[in-house]
């Protein structure tokens, strides 16, 4: 193998374990690799998605009913919004479904029920007090999720700076497609919509107006469109706001709150995941890596191979 080939091999190995441009610490809480999807290609202003397009998307379910969106972080960990558990924080009442477009799969769809995982533990951020600050929660599953073409984890970063003012991020969910929609008419099929990340100071100005003084806190970020044509809505809570960087997908936000749905100058407000990166990292690493996950050996093997690889370059 020539020098260019060796450099390519090294670059691929580094990127697989998160040691490339993104940096190692940012990906250390996740299974490796993360942020990949097999498919390239309503939420307000959105459209039906396709199975496998957002393989980290989960449906957080109270007993048999969809309540919120959720995101797969690793074989045993799921990220969502803390306010999703207002009705109940008893893990025995919850489960998470992955790999399906519909939140109401037919009873003969055995695959959907095989990919529905019981919850072992619910960890709300300790500062959450029922408002929309600190609106983040981790869910530990009772059994390990099996990855497949349609089920993959998302990546996280400890900073969302590089995604400021991006106009090509996405939000997904099974929530209402218009503000006045009845719960019974919510779409059963996963919806997707492309949104713009809105500067925090601009978003603050939109919300901080006479007779409306909600503040955009430091742990929040805004996304949508100024004319309100693209937005998240009720039922999308807890779901992911994701952006692409060099072929990898990163979750930068969690659907949290907003004023109505699709209103001009009232963009959706999301929990800024990067603010809580260390909290997530601490809890996930504290629990240890899941047994039997060969991907977790890759960083160790790379460290062992790195000196010889570097000599070849």
């Amino acid at each position: 193998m020539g020098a260019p080939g060796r450099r390519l091999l090294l670059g691929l190995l580094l990127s697989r374990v998160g040691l490339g441009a993104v940096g190692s610490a940012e990906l250390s809480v996740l299974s490796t690799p993360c942020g990949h999807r097999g498919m390239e290609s309503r939420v307000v202003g959105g459209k039906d998605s396709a199975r496998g397009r957002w393989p980290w998307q989960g449906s957080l379910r109270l007993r048999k009913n969809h309540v919120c969106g959720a995101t797969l972080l690793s074989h045993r960990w799921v990220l969502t919004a803390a306010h999703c558990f207002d009705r109940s924080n008893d893990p025995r009442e919850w489960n998470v479904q992955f790999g399906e477009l519909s939140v109401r799969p037919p009873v003969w769809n055995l695959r959907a029920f095989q990919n529905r995982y019981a919850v072992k533990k619910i960890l709300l951020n300790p500062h959450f007090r029922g408002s929309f600050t600190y609106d983040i929660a981790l869910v530990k599953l009772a059994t390990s999720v099996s990855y497949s073409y349609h089920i993959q984890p998302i990546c996280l970063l400890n900073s969302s700076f590089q995604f400021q003012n991006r106009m090509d991020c996405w939000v997904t969910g099974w929530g209402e497609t218009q503000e006045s929609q009845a719960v019974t008419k919510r779409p059963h099929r996963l919806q997707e919509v492309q949104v713009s990340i809105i500067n925090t100071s601009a978003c603050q100005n939109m919300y901080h107006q006479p007779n409306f003084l909600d503040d955009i806190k430091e742990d929040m970020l805004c996304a949508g469109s100024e004319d309100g044509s693209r937005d998240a809505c009720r039922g999308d809570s807890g779901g992911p706001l994701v952006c692409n960087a060099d072929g990898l997908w990163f979750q930068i936000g969690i659907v949290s709150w907003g004023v109505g749905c699709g209103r001009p100058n009232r963009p959706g407000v999301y929990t800024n995941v990067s603010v809580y990166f260390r909290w997530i990292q601490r809890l996930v690493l504290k629990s240890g890596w899941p047994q039997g996950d060969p991907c977790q050996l890759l960083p160790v093997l790379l460290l062992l191979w790195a000196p010889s690889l570097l000599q070849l370059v």
Side-chain angles (χ1 to χ4, degrees), residues 114-129:
Q114 290 172 349
N115 290 325
R116 193 170 290 176
Y117 295 85
V119 171
K120 179 179 182 179
K121 188 181 296 185
I122 298 169
L123 299 172
L124 307 184
N125 186 275
H127 300 291
F128 178 72
R129 296 292 183 270

Side-chain angles (χ1 to χ4, degrees), residues 17-183:
V17 297
L19 296 176
V22 173
S24 60
E26 289 84 348
L27 300 182
S28 61
V29 301
L30 305 174
S31 293
T32 307
C34 63
H36 293 280
R37 65 180 188 184
M39 291 192 64
E40 297 301 331
S41 28
R42 229 172 278 267
V43 176
V44 175
K47 61 181 181 180
D48 287 354
S49 188
R51 187 164 179 258
R53 186 164 163 81
W54 311 105
W56 39 80
Q57 176 78 50
S59 167
L60 181 64
R61 309 168 72 84
L62 179 59
R63 293 177 283 274
K64 296 181 179 180
N65 299 314
H66 169 81
V67 173
C68 279
T71 317
L72 184 64
L73 295 183
S74 71
H75 285 284
R76 293 288 296 274
W77 288 96
V78 176
L79 189 64
T80 190
H83 79 264
C84 292
F85 299 100
D86 287 347
R87 302 187 206 177
S88 169
N89 60 3
D90 183 352
R92 295 170 297 180
E93 296 189 302
W94 294 88
N95 60 76
V96 189
Q97 179 178 292
F98 293 104
E100 295 297 319
L101 285 176
S102 176
V103 289
R104 293 186 181 179
V107 293
W108 58 83
N109 184 351
L110 298 180
R111 178 193 65 209
F113 293 93
Q114 290 172 349
N115 290 325
R116 193 170 290 176
Y117 295 85
V119 171
K120 179 179 182 179
K121 188 181 296 185
I122 298 169
L123 299 172
L124 307 184
N125 186 275
H127 300 291
F128 178 72
R129 296 292 183 270
S131 64
F132 291 122
T133 53
Y134 307 102
D135 190 15
I136 188 170
L138 279 168
V139 172
K140 188 174 185 180
L141 303 175
T143 56
S144 182
V145 173
S146 298
Y147 295 166
S148 68
Y149 182 86
H150 300 105
I151 303 175
Q152 293 288 324
I154 192 68
C155 296
L156 300 184
L157 281 170
N158 64 4
S159 172
S160 59
F161 178 79
Q162 65 174 296
F163 300 110
Q164 289 185 6
N165 302 314
R166 283 278 295 268
M167 302 177 66
D168 55 351
C169 297
W170 292 81
V171 60
T172 50
W174 288 276
E176 299 171 9
T177 57
Q178 57 189 34
E179 184 174 335
S180 59
Q181 191 171 24
V183 173

Side-chain angles (χ1 to χ4, degrees), residues 150-218:
H150 300 105
I151 303 175
Q152 293 288 324
I154 192 68
C155 296
L156 300 184
L157 281 170
N158 64 4
S159 172
S160 59
F161 178 79
Q162 65 174 296
F163 300 110
Q164 289 185 6
N165 302 314
R166 283 278 295 268
M167 302 177 66
D168 55 351
C169 297
W170 292 81
V171 60
T172 50
W174 288 276
E176 299 171 9
T177 57
Q178 57 189 34
E179 184 174 335
S180 59
Q181 191 171 24
V183 173
T184 55
K185 293 184 179 180
R186 286 180 181 173
H188 296 165
R189 187 180 178 94
L190 183 66
Q191 303 288 294
E192 61 180 44
V193 67
Q194 193 172 45
V195 295
S196 299
I197 307 302
I198 297 174
N199 180 278
T200 299
S201 59
C203 188
Q204 181 79 299
N205 289 335
M206 292 181 193
Y207 274 98
H208 199 81
Q209 296 177 2
N211 303 319
F212 195 88
L213 298 176
D214 273 348
D215 286 329
I216 306 303
K217 303 292 195 289
E218 293 182 357

Side-chain angles (χ1 to χ4, degrees), residues 181-288:
Q181 191 171 24
V183 173
T184 55
K185 293 184 179 180
R186 286 180 181 173
H188 296 165
R189 187 180 178 94
L190 183 66
Q191 303 288 294
E192 61 180 44
V193 67
Q194 193 172 45
V195 295
S196 299
I197 307 302
I198 297 174
N199 180 278
T200 299
S201 59
C203 188
Q204 181 79 299
N205 289 335
M206 292 181 193
Y207 274 98
H208 199 81
Q209 296 177 2
N211 303 319
F212 195 88
L213 298 176
D214 273 348
D215 286 329
I216 306 303
K217 303 292 195 289
E218 293 182 357
D219 68 335
M220 302 174 185
L221 58 83
C222 301
S225 60
E226 291 188 7
D227 64 2
S229 61
R230 292 167 285 136
D231 197 6
C233 200
R234 284 181 293 272
D236 293 321
S237 288
L241 169 66
V242 298
C243 304
N244 184 295
D246 299 324
L248 286 180
W249 287 88
F250 296 89
Q251 181 174 4
I252 66 167
I254 301 169
V255 179
S256 181
W257 64 277
V259 176
C261 304
R263 297 186 185 182
N265 298 315
R266 294 288 184 269
V269 185
Y270 298 75
T271 302
N272 187 337
V273 174
S274 66
V275 172
Y276 298 98
F277 178 86
R278 299 302 175 194
W279 177 73
I280 297 169
Q281 184 183 53
R282 184 173 66 254
L283 291 177
V284 173
L285 293 182
K286 183 179 178 181
S287 72

